[in-house]
Amino acid sequence: MKLLKSENWWIWLLMFLFSGGTSHIVLGALLDVYDKNAWYAKLKYWIIGIILFLIPFSIMVPVFILSITCNTAYKLKLDGSEYYMSPYVWLFLLIIPFIGWLVFVVLLLYINIGILVQLYKGYGEKYI
């Protein structure tokens, strides 16, 4: 079964709903969005995060998932990449209380739903 075909978009919907949003890690692997020179590919950062107790590690995991989700959306040509590909936008939204947090959640929903829509439209088929 070719998971990136447009008729299989519902499988990604089910995976997203039942995996807590981490299905984009698998989708990112299928779309080849991982960079071998990025921070998340270096084992020493993960080891340091675990050694310095769980606080750095618990921050690294959501940042990793957000990074892969944004790269997946960019690879599927989701509109608005000038916003969600900039780390400064994400930091700015986290710093501003209430309104920034609300926009942060809206942007996350836009990216997650947009990835499913792009798969439905067939943008993933060229990566099969």
Side-chain angles (χ1 to χ4, degrees):
M1 178 187 314
K2 306 221 182 215
L3 290 175
L4 293 176
K5 287 193 164 229
S6 62
E7 61 263 9
N8 294 331
W9 71 272
W10 61 272
I11 294 173
W12 290 106
L13 174 65
L14 291 175
M15 286 175 62
F16 175 73
L17 292 174
F18 294 117
S19 70
T22 58
S23 63
H24 297 304
I25 294 173
V26 175
L27 182 58
L30 290 175
L31 294 175
D32 195 30
V33 299
Y34 293 101
D35 181 16
K36 66 179 182 177
N37 297 322
W39 66 270
Y40 52 78
K42 295 180 173 69
L43 184 62
K44 67 180 180 181
Y45 293 130
W46 293 101
I47 292 173
I48 291 171
I50 292 172
I51 289 175
L52 294 175
F53 301 109
L54 294 177
I55 293 174
F57 184 73
S58 64
I59 293 171
M60 291 168 66
V61 171
V63 169
F64 168 68
I65 292 171
L66 181 65
S67 173
I68 296 304
T69 302
C70 290
N71 287 336
T72 302
Y74 182 75
K75 190 95 174 208
L76 290 174
K77 295 180 177 40
L78 184 65
D79 293 332
S81 64
E82 60 272 4
Y83 301 115
Y84 61 79
M85 287 301 289
S86 173
Y88 302 113
V89 170
W90 293 101
L91 287 173
F92 187 68
L93 292 177
L94 281 175
I95 291 171
I96 298 174
F98 305 114
I99 295 173
W101 300 338
L102 180 67
V103 174
F104 184 87
V105 171
V106 169
L107 191 55
L108 269 178
L109 284 173
Y110 168 72
I111 290 174
N112 288 315
I113 293 171
I115 287 173
L116 294 172
V117 169
Q118 295 297 82
L119 288 172
Y120 175 75
K121 290 181 180 178
Y123 280 88
E125 290 182 356
K126 65 180 175 182
Y127 299 105
I128 295 176

PDB file of all heavy atoms in Angstrom, residues 66 69 90 103-113:
ATOM      1  N   LEU A  66       7.641  19.708  16.302  1.00  0.00           N
ATOM      2  CA  LEU A  66       7.210  20.916  15.601  1.00  0.00           C
ATOM      3  C   LEU A  66       8.083  21.175  14.377  1.00  0.00           C
ATOM      4  O   LEU A  66       7.578  21.541  13.311  1.00  0.00           O
ATOM      5  CB  LEU A  66       7.248  22.117  16.551  1.00  0.00           C
ATOM      6  CG  LEU A  66       6.814  23.450  15.973  1.00  0.00           C
ATOM      7  CD1 LEU A  66       5.333  23.399  15.591  1.00  0.00           C
ATOM      8  CD2 LEU A  66       7.053  24.558  16.971  1.00  0.00           C
ATOM      9  N   THR A  69       7.123  18.671  11.699  1.00  0.00           N
ATOM     10  CA  THR A  69       5.801  19.009  11.175  1.00  0.00           C
ATOM     11  C   THR A  69       5.890  20.181  10.209  1.00  0.00           C
ATOM     12  O   THR A  69       5.282  20.165   9.132  1.00  0.00           O
ATOM     13  CB  THR A  69       4.838  19.328  12.330  1.00  0.00           C
ATOM     14  OG1 THR A  69       4.766  18.197  13.195  1.00  0.00           O
ATOM     15  CG2 THR A  69       3.443  19.642  11.813  1.00  0.00           C
ATOM     16  N   TRP A  90       7.456  31.445  16.043  1.00  0.00           N
ATOM     17  CA  TRP A  90       7.035  30.508  17.084  1.00  0.00           C
ATOM     18  C   TRP A  90       7.445  31.014  18.465  1.00  0.00           C
ATOM     19  O   TRP A  90       6.664  30.947  19.415  1.00  0.00           O
ATOM     20  CB  TRP A  90       7.601  29.123  16.826  1.00  0.00           C
ATOM     21  CG  TRP A  90       7.036  28.484  15.603  1.00  0.00           C
ATOM     22  CD1 TRP A  90       7.629  28.392  14.384  1.00  0.00           C
ATOM     23  CD2 TRP A  90       5.749  27.874  15.457  1.00  0.00           C
ATOM     24  NE1 TRP A  90       6.801  27.755  13.503  1.00  0.00           N
ATOM     25  CE2 TRP A  90       5.644  27.429  14.138  1.00  0.00           C
ATOM     26  CE3 TRP A  90       4.678  27.664  16.319  1.00  0.00           C
ATOM     27  CZ2 TRP A  90       4.518  26.774  13.655  1.00  0.00           C
ATOM     28  CZ3 TRP A  90       3.561  27.005  15.839  1.00  0.00           C
ATOM     29  CH2 TRP A  90       3.486  26.574  14.522  1.00  0.00           C
ATOM     30  N   VAL A 103      -2.908  32.237  19.021  1.00  0.00           N
ATOM     31  CA  VAL A 103      -2.440  32.196  17.630  1.00  0.00           C
ATOM     32  C   VAL A 103      -1.514  30.999  17.411  1.00  0.00           C
ATOM     33  O   VAL A 103      -1.519  30.389  16.345  1.00  0.00           O
ATOM     34  CB  VAL A 103      -1.756  33.531  17.252  1.00  0.00           C
ATOM     35  CG1 VAL A 103      -1.142  33.469  15.872  1.00  0.00           C
ATOM     36  CG2 VAL A 103      -2.747  34.672  17.334  1.00  0.00           C
ATOM     37  N   PHE A 104      -0.728  30.647  18.434  1.00  0.00           N
ATOM     38  CA  PHE A 104       0.135  29.462  18.374  1.00  0.00           C
ATOM     39  C   PHE A 104      -0.704  28.214  18.118  1.00  0.00           C
ATOM     40  O   PHE A 104      -0.381  27.405  17.238  1.00  0.00           O
ATOM     41  CB  PHE A 104       0.913  29.332  19.690  1.00  0.00           C
ATOM     42  CG  PHE A 104       1.895  28.207  19.717  1.00  0.00           C
ATOM     43  CD1 PHE A 104       3.183  28.388  19.254  1.00  0.00           C
ATOM     44  CD2 PHE A 104       1.536  26.960  20.215  1.00  0.00           C
ATOM     45  CE1 PHE A 104       4.102  27.352  19.283  1.00  0.00           C
ATOM     46  CE2 PHE A 104       2.443  25.922  20.250  1.00  0.00           C
ATOM     47  CZ  PHE A 104       3.732  26.113  19.779  1.00  0.00           C
ATOM     48  N   VAL A 105      -1.787  28.054  18.850  1.00  0.00           N
ATOM     49  CA  VAL A 105      -2.665  26.892  18.683  1.00  0.00           C
ATOM     50  C   VAL A 105      -3.330  26.924  17.312  1.00  0.00           C
ATOM     51  O   VAL A 105      -3.433  25.897  16.630  1.00  0.00           O
ATOM     52  CB  VAL A 105      -3.709  26.838  19.819  1.00  0.00           C
ATOM     53  CG1 VAL A 105      -4.767  25.783  19.548  1.00  0.00           C
ATOM     54  CG2 VAL A 105      -3.029  26.589  21.151  1.00  0.00           C
ATOM     55  N   VAL A 106      -3.763  28.096  16.873  1.00  0.00           N
ATOM     56  CA  VAL A 106      -4.399  28.221  15.553  1.00  0.00           C
ATOM     57  C   VAL A 106      -3.405  27.859  14.451  1.00  0.00           C
ATOM     58  O   VAL A 106      -3.749  27.156  13.497  1.00  0.00           O
ATOM     59  CB  VAL A 106      -4.968  29.646  15.360  1.00  0.00           C
ATOM     60  CG1 VAL A 106      -5.386  29.888  13.925  1.00  0.00           C
ATOM     61  CG2 VAL A 106      -6.139  29.869  16.301  1.00  0.00           C
ATOM     62  N   LEU A 107      -2.160  28.314  14.587  1.00  0.00           N
ATOM     63  CA  LEU A 107      -1.147  28.002  13.584  1.00  0.00           C
ATOM     64  C   LEU A 107      -0.825  26.506  13.568  1.00  0.00           C
ATOM     65  O   LEU A 107      -0.650  25.922  12.499  1.00  0.00           O
ATOM     66  CB  LEU A 107       0.120  28.823  13.836  1.00  0.00           C
ATOM     67  CG  LEU A 107       1.194  28.824  12.764  1.00  0.00           C
ATOM     68  CD1 LEU A 107       0.637  29.265  11.417  1.00  0.00           C
ATOM     69  CD2 LEU A 107       2.342  29.730  13.165  1.00  0.00           C
ATOM     70  N   LEU A 108      -0.782  25.892  14.728  1.00  0.00           N
ATOM     71  CA  LEU A 108      -0.579  24.444  14.796  1.00  0.00           C
ATOM     72  C   LEU A 108      -1.728  23.690  14.119  1.00  0.00           C
ATOM     73  O   LEU A 108      -1.504  22.731  13.377  1.00  0.00           O
ATOM     74  CB  LEU A 108      -0.469  23.988  16.242  1.00  0.00           C
ATOM     75  CG  LEU A 108       0.910  23.945  16.853  1.00  0.00           C
ATOM     76  CD1 LEU A 108       0.827  23.519  18.302  1.00  0.00           C
ATOM     77  CD2 LEU A 108       1.827  23.048  16.086  1.00  0.00           C
ATOM     78  N   LEU A 109      -2.953  24.118  14.394  1.00  0.00           N
ATOM     79  CA  LEU A 109      -4.112  23.491  13.739  1.00  0.00           C
ATOM     80  C   LEU A 109      -4.065  23.682  12.232  1.00  0.00           C
ATOM     81  O   LEU A 109      -4.368  22.756  11.467  1.00  0.00           O
ATOM     82  CB  LEU A 109      -5.410  24.059  14.309  1.00  0.00           C
ATOM     83  CG  LEU A 109      -5.815  23.558  15.682  1.00  0.00           C
ATOM     84  CD1 LEU A 109      -7.022  24.337  16.193  1.00  0.00           C
ATOM     85  CD2 LEU A 109      -6.122  22.082  15.634  1.00  0.00           C
ATOM     86  N   TYR A 110      -3.689  24.883  11.791  1.00  0.00           N
ATOM     87  CA  TYR A 110      -3.594  25.160  10.360  1.00  0.00           C
ATOM     88  C   TYR A 110      -2.590  24.217   9.695  1.00  0.00           C
ATOM     89  O   TYR A 110      -2.864  23.651   8.632  1.00  0.00           O
ATOM     90  CB  TYR A 110      -3.189  26.613  10.129  1.00  0.00           C
ATOM     91  CG  TYR A 110      -2.800  26.896   8.700  1.00  0.00           C
ATOM     92  CD1 TYR A 110      -3.756  26.941   7.697  1.00  0.00           C
ATOM     93  CD2 TYR A 110      -1.473  27.100   8.345  1.00  0.00           C
ATOM     94  CE1 TYR A 110      -3.405  27.184   6.379  1.00  0.00           C
ATOM     95  CE2 TYR A 110      -1.109  27.344   7.049  1.00  0.00           C
ATOM     96  CZ  TYR A 110      -2.071  27.384   6.062  1.00  0.00           C
ATOM     97  OH  TYR A 110      -1.707  27.619   4.771  1.00  0.00           O
ATOM     98  N   ILE A 111      -1.443  24.045  10.319  1.00  0.00           N
ATOM     99  CA  ILE A 111      -0.418  23.190   9.723  1.00  0.00           C
ATOM    100  C   ILE A 111      -0.867  21.731   9.709  1.00  0.00           C
ATOM    101  O   ILE A 111      -0.735  21.046   8.693  1.00  0.00           O
ATOM    102  CB  ILE A 111       0.914  23.349  10.478  1.00  0.00           C
ATOM    103  CG1 ILE A 111       1.496  24.719  10.213  1.00  0.00           C
ATOM    104  CG2 ILE A 111       1.914  22.276  10.068  1.00  0.00           C
ATOM    105  CD1 ILE A 111       2.725  25.018  11.026  1.00  0.00           C
ATOM    106  N   ASN A 112      -1.418  21.254  10.810  1.00  0.00           N
ATOM    107  CA  ASN A 112      -1.834  19.854  10.876  1.00  0.00           C
ATOM    108  C   ASN A 112      -2.984  19.544   9.927  1.00  0.00           C
ATOM    109  O   ASN A 112      -2.961  18.520   9.238  1.00  0.00           O
ATOM    110  CB  ASN A 112      -2.209  19.479  12.309  1.00  0.00           C
ATOM    111  CG  ASN A 112      -0.990  19.386  13.191  1.00  0.00           C
ATOM    112  OD1 ASN A 112       0.005  18.808  12.809  1.00  0.00           O
ATOM    113  ND2 ASN A 112      -1.068  19.956  14.369  1.00  0.00           N
ATOM    114  N   ILE A 113      -3.955  20.410   9.861  1.00  0.00           N
ATOM    115  CA  ILE A 113      -5.077  20.203   8.934  1.00  0.00           C
ATOM    116  C   ILE A 113      -4.614  20.429   7.499  1.00  0.00           C
ATOM    117  O   ILE A 113      -5.015  19.706   6.582  1.00  0.00           O
ATOM    118  CB  ILE A 113      -6.265  21.111   9.306  1.00  0.00           C
ATOM    119  CG1 ILE A 113      -6.832  20.672  10.656  1.00  0.00           C
ATOM    120  CG2 ILE A 113      -7.347  21.070   8.235  1.00  0.00           C
ATOM    121  CD1 ILE A 113      -7.858  21.621  11.243  1.00  0.00           C
TER     122      ILE A 113
END
